[in-house]
Amino acid sequence: MLLTPDRIRTLQRKLYCKAKQEPDFRFYSLYDKVYRADILGHAYRLARANKGAPGIDGVSFKSIEKDGGEIKFVQKLEQELKEKQYRCQPVRRVWIPKPDGSQRPLGIPTIRDRVVQMAVKLVIEPIFEADFCDSSYGFRPKRSAHDAVDAISEALLTGHRQVVDADLSKYFDTIPHSKLLTVVATRIADKEILSLIKQWLKAPVVEQDGNKHRIIGGGKKNRLGTPQGGVISPLLANLYLHLLDRIWERHDLPRFYGGRLVRYADDFVILCKGKIDAPIQMVKMVLDRCELRLNDQKTKIINAYQDSFDFLGFRFQMRRSPRSGKWYPHTEPSKRSEERIKATVKRLTHRRRTPVSVPDLIDEINYATQGWSAYFHYQHSTKVMARVKWFTEERVRKHLCVRHKVRTRTNGYKRFSTDFLYNKLYLYRIPTYAKWKRAQALQ
């Protein structure tokens, strides 16, 4: 993880404090901070650490390093911004498969655009961070999905049993540019910053068709959407739904409705102690003003004492403790999350992959299971982690039997024992006992 240089951190702290002390203040001189050499240099290193693919121009970080490296790249970008000659390039569209078989569009800006977006984000994020509400957890400094999970567990524990599991219909594709820029302008009066953001919102979206590129979206006439994949997109998307958080908080709806809002970017749940009709109507009214709408097919109303609901990859449900008999919020990786990691391990250990060397195969499996475990080894995940651990061991053992033509299961266990997998092949040992959290302490 890259540490923010002291000089940049000092600037961010000053901007945050100013925004916090004066909620109505509009910042009018920020553009000169964006093209500062230290900010552009740090933005470049952050973009490189994300290891993204090249954009439409085909320029990769490796090619930049060969052609003069970071210093030359940053100096050229600094000059373009300083002379106001910078123009963003088209966004490359790729499709990412989803678990249900459909595909999700992902926009990949060029490295040049990603660095400038990162520089703008470094400057303006502290300003909006001062305004964000406690109910928002997504894409914010010092906040994580686990914090949102804890907030839901605490709400369930305090009697918020009626749950609205909300789903927005094509949120990133339907954000109206005019209203989004108006929200940004409530804090940013610098026309150059607003011009940069408008450029990125209206950048042409290009898809590769063989050896040719064709424009499939975006452009000056485009009025809706922010491309998923851009560095600045999560901040802008978070900022636009901040309107919902602010209305919920300013009208003291938790006290009137006995409800609690937990939002992570465009995913949110509403947990209520009593009736849920009024909170739902209020949310629909706010979304309607924002020209957004709920996906009625995916939005569910659940009693947590009777059914479970999924959020951020976890499954939540109130259960009775087998020890004390008291109700507690049971939180574990969802069935979908479990099946996804199993599918990944199964794909990596398929018999067709026997030509891959064993060390490389184990490295790939470790990379997948370690990343999954780092996120899901939380709260009541012990049983799920144990199942995934057992499944991984069996798949690796079965693959080795195929590779070495071991025909019986008994011989497979003898030759490729559990100790052999972990001590000789260095397979990642998936942890099983979950971390002890406050939710368990209050059972």
Side-chain angles (χ1 to χ4, degrees), residues 338-355:
E338 181 182 349
E339 292 302 323
R340 287 181 70 179
I341 188 61
K342 286 182 177 179
T344 300
V345 172
K346 187 175 182 179
R347 174 179 57 82
L348 292 175
T349 55
H350 196 276
R351 62 174 59 241
R352 288 196 299 264
R353 304 197 79 238
T354 52

Side-chain angles (χ1 to χ4, degrees), residues 139-398:
F139 306 109
R140 293 182 59 187
K142 299 181 180 180
R143 287 202 160 204
S144 68
H146 287 171
D147 295 324
V149 169
D150 288 344
I152 293 174
S153 296
E154 291 177 13
L156 291 172
L157 200 61
T158 51
H160 297 74
R161 64 178 66 186
Q162 298 293 333
V163 182
V164 181
D165 183 9
D167 185 271
L168 290 178
S169 181
K170 297 181 179 179
Y171 174 62
F172 282 87
D173 297 332
T174 56
I175 299 176
H177 293 173
S178 58
K179 292 190 175 182
L180 174 59
L181 289 170
T182 300
V183 174
V184 176
T186 58
R187 275 300 204 172
I188 309 295
D190 192 319
K191 293 182 179 179
E192 300 300 333
I193 296 290
L194 295 173
S195 176
L196 286 176
I197 294 174
K198 189 174 182 180
Q199 276 193 57
W200 296 325
L201 291 175
K202 296 188 176 297
V205 179
V206 176
E207 194 171 69
Q208 191 164 359
D209 185 10
N211 295 326
K212 297 181 179 180
H213 295 94
R214 57 189 180 92
I215 297 177
I216 60 171
K220 293 182 178 179
K221 294 183 179 180
N222 183 36
R223 298 289 184 270
L224 300 173
T226 173
Q228 296 187 57
V231 176
I232 201 73
S233 294
L235 175 61
L236 297 178
N238 209 19
L239 178 62
Y240 194 59
L241 268 184
H242 167 63
L243 295 170
L244 174 62
D245 305 338
R246 190 171 61 186
I247 291 174
W248 184 274
E249 188 177 89
R250 288 187 177 180
H251 288 76
D252 202 11
L253 298 183
R255 184 169 64 87
F256 283 114
Y257 297 145
R260 182 162 182 180
L261 173 68
V262 178
R263 183 175 68 82
Y264 192 94
D266 61 320
D267 294 324
F268 64 93
V269 293
I270 301 170
L271 304 102
C272 301
K273 288 185 176 181
K275 294 182 179 180
I276 58 174
D277 296 339
I280 290 179
Q281 290 304 317
M282 189 282 301
V283 169
K284 287 184 176 180
M285 179 192 70
V286 175
L287 294 178
D288 186 59
R289 291 182 179 179
C290 295
E291 298 182 30
L292 303 171
R293 62 187 180 88
L294 287 173
N295 187 328
D296 293 330
Q297 293 182 343
K298 293 184 177 180
T299 299
K300 302 174 183 177
I301 301 172
I302 295 162
N303 185 328
Y305 280 80
Q306 299 173 358
D307 299 300
S308 63
F309 66 96
D310 295 349
F311 187 68
L312 300 178
F314 287 90
R315 175 158 291 181
F316 302 84
Q317 186 177 11
M318 294 300 292
R319 295 184 184 178
R320 281 191 183 275
S321 171
R323 294 181 181 178
S324 65
K326 295 180 180 180
W327 289 94
Y328 75 99
H330 186 85
T331 307
E332 66 181 13
S334 67
K335 195 67 179 176
R336 187 175 178 182
S337 302
E338 181 182 349
E339 292 302 323
R340 287 181 70 179
I341 188 61
K342 286 182 177 179
T344 300
V345 172
K346 187 175 182 179
R347 174 179 57 82
L348 292 175
T349 55
H350 196 276
R351 62 174 59 241
R352 288 196 299 264
R353 304 197 79 238
T354 52
V356 179
S357 69
V358 173
D360 288 344
L361 183 79
I362 296 298
D363 284 345
E364 291 179 26
I365 297 170
N366 288 349
Y367 180 80
T369 56
Q370 194 167 1
W372 186 87
S373 300
Y375 181 74
F376 287 107
H377 184 224
Y378 202 69
Q379 295 224 12
H380 310 92
S381 63
T382 298
K383 289 185 178 179
V384 176
M385 303 295 284
R387 288 199 298 265
V388 173
K389 181 174 181 287
W390 178 85
F391 180 85
T392 303
E393 292 171 359
E394 289 296 300
R395 286 298 307 181
V396 172
R397 187 176 288 115
K398 184 177 180 180

Side-chain angles (χ1 to χ4, degrees), residues 428-439:
Y428 173 68
R429 191 184 294 272
I430 297 174
T432 53
Y433 290 99
K435 300 175 183 177
W436 195 83
K437 294 297 294 181
R438 182 169 177 261

Side-chain angles (χ1 to χ4, degrees), residues 104-120:
R104 177 171 64 89
L106 183 68
I108 304 179
T110 61
I111 291 176
R112 171 176 167 273
D113 292 334
R114 296 208 294 267
V115 171
V116 180
Q117 288 185 25
M118 184 68 78
V120 170

Side-chain angles (χ1 to χ4, degrees), residues 27-36 39 77-87 116 120 123-124 188 190-196 199:
F27 293 80
Y28 51 86
S29 182
L30 298 173
Y31 186 71
D32 60 319
K33 316 294 189 298
V34 171
Y35 60 75
R36 266 176 33 180
I39 289 181
L77 206 51
E78 179 185 357
Q79 184 177 358
E80 286 184 20
L81 289 167
K82 197 171 185 177
E83 296 176 357
K84 299 180 182 178
Q85 298 297 316
Y86 167 83
R87 297 293 181 273
V116 180
V120 170
V123 174
I124 70 174
I188 309 295
D190 192 319
K191 293 182 179 179
E192 300 300 333
I193 296 290
L194 295 173
S195 176
L196 286 176
Q199 276 193 57

